[in-house]
Amino acid sequence: MGGVKSRLTCFSLNNFNCWSRRSEHGLPEAICTDDDTTGGQIKMYSWDVRPKLQNQRIERELDMVIVREPGSINGEQIIIENCRNCKIYILDHSAAINIDDCEDCIIITGPVKGSIFLRDTSNSTLCSVSGQLRLRDCKQIHIFGGSESEPIIEASMDVYIGPYTLNYNGIDSHFKLALLYPDKLVTETMYDFTPPNGDGSLNWKPISGLNAPKYLPTIGSLAGFSTDESNSFVRQYTQRLQFSS
């Protein structure tokens, strides 16, 4: 791998005193603060002091390991585009994820409240759960996970789907924040808008007998991280339900 990128926290306010407030009409108000380096004043607006959104976009990466730790996304949308041969770990809950034009990538995420759209992507693995899951113009995709509604594929081929095997510290609270129920996920079937092939074969198949960690490599620095199905949070949750009933 060419390198490792971890959670980005680049924005700092250490060089000036800054306060955010609104005017009596509820609009952002300019705030003048002393600049210790020049002796002058800087006019600041509330949007100037918001954290930058670098964590939410992963674009044009090659041969990288990219990690977003818990708290780095915090329910926002994620965009992943034009990545090649990358391992991407997003261990946080998010609002939605768009994945476009990626190749030879492994993408592992925490719960997604809304939709995951996977488009123009090939020879890649996705481990995620969401409210909705849709694939278009994709091929040779392994999915460990699913969605509350039946996952949908269109103009795609060689798609495999199976159980969500991820676990990491804090994933239980992320499921709650994403309003997803681990026991109500569809992880074994898909709806295909494209007719079956000429020989009657389907464009998707359920995953059977595959070793998830082979497709979902671990990363040692992440506490509690596992892609082994025996340690899956969804499996543990389901077993607790069965035991309590």
Side-chain angles (χ1 to χ4, degrees):
M1 283 293 174
V4 177
K5 287 191 176 182
S6 61
R7 173 183 172 185
L8 300 175
T9 52
C10 302
F11 192 69
S12 174
L13 300 178
N14 293 333
N15 295 328
F16 48 84
N17 296 321
C18 183
W19 299 88
S20 176
R21 63 173 180 253
R22 288 182 175 270
S23 70
E24 60 179 331
H25 302 293
L27 299 175
E29 185 177 26
I31 305 166
C32 292
T33 63
D34 291 333
D35 183 352
D36 295 334
T37 60
T38 64
Q41 287 190 326
I42 304 173
K43 180 176 287 189
M44 298 295 297
Y45 292 87
S46 61
W47 54 78
D48 291 322
V49 298
R50 291 175 183 168
K52 302 305 180 184
L53 303 182
Q54 293 166 305
N55 278 341
Q56 297 168 226
R57 301 188 69 95
I58 301 173
E59 302 173 286
R60 295 182 293 278
E61 299 288 1
L62 174 66
D63 299 331
M64 297 298 295
V65 177
I66 300 167
V67 180
R68 298 292 186 264
E69 297 177 3
S72 61
I73 303 298
N74 199 27
E76 298 294 337
Q77 183 178 0
I78 301 168
I79 295 174
I80 302 172
E81 294 180 334
N82 298 301
C83 293
R84 301 289 182 269
N85 195 36
C86 290
K87 297 177 181 178
I88 301 171
Y89 301 82
I90 302 173
L91 304 186
D92 205 352
H93 68 105
S94 56
I97 299 180
N98 289 348
I99 303 169
D100 289 290
D101 194 23
C102 292
E103 184 177 353
D104 298 316
C105 289
I106 296 172
I107 302 171
I108 300 175
T109 88
V112 180
K113 183 177 181 179
S115 299
I116 297 177
F117 287 103
L118 191 68
R119 295 171 291 206
D120 298 303
T121 292
S122 63
N123 197 33
S124 295
T125 298
L126 172 68
C127 179
S128 188
V129 287
S130 56
Q132 292 183 326
L133 173 61
R134 302 193 66 165
L135 285 73
R136 181 178 173 86
D137 296 314
C138 295
K139 61 182 179 179
Q140 201 56 240
I141 305 293
H142 287 83
I143 298 172
F144 292 87
S147 55
E148 285 192 326
S149 60
E150 188 175 28
I152 293 173
I153 64 173
E154 185 175 2
S156 298
M157 59 186 298
D158 296 327
V159 179
Y160 302 84
I161 185 170
Y164 186 59
T165 61
L166 184 62
N167 204 346
Y168 60 87
N169 289 353
I171 192 173
D172 51 346
S173 64
H174 291 167
F175 262 92
K176 294 176 183 176
L177 290 167
L179 303 180
L180 294 179
Y181 295 90
D183 60 323
K184 298 187 182 299
L185 298 170
V186 181
T187 62
E188 297 179 351
T189 65
M190 309 190 87
Y191 182 83
D192 190 357
F193 276 109
T194 305
N197 299 311
D199 59 1
S201 61
L202 300 178
N203 295 305
W204 68 272
K205 296 178 182 178
I207 289 176
S208 177
L210 292 180
N211 181 11
K214 174 184 176 181
Y215 291 87
L216 304 170
T218 188
I219 184 166
S221 61
L222 300 176
F225 181 92
S226 172
T227 56
D228 192 317
E229 187 175 358
S230 63
N231 295 325
S232 163
F233 170 75
V234 170
R235 179 172 181 172
Q236 293 175 0
Y237 180 93
T238 303
Q239 288 175 340
R240 289 197 300 269
L241 285 181
Q242 293 173 345
F243 181 78
S244 62
S245 61

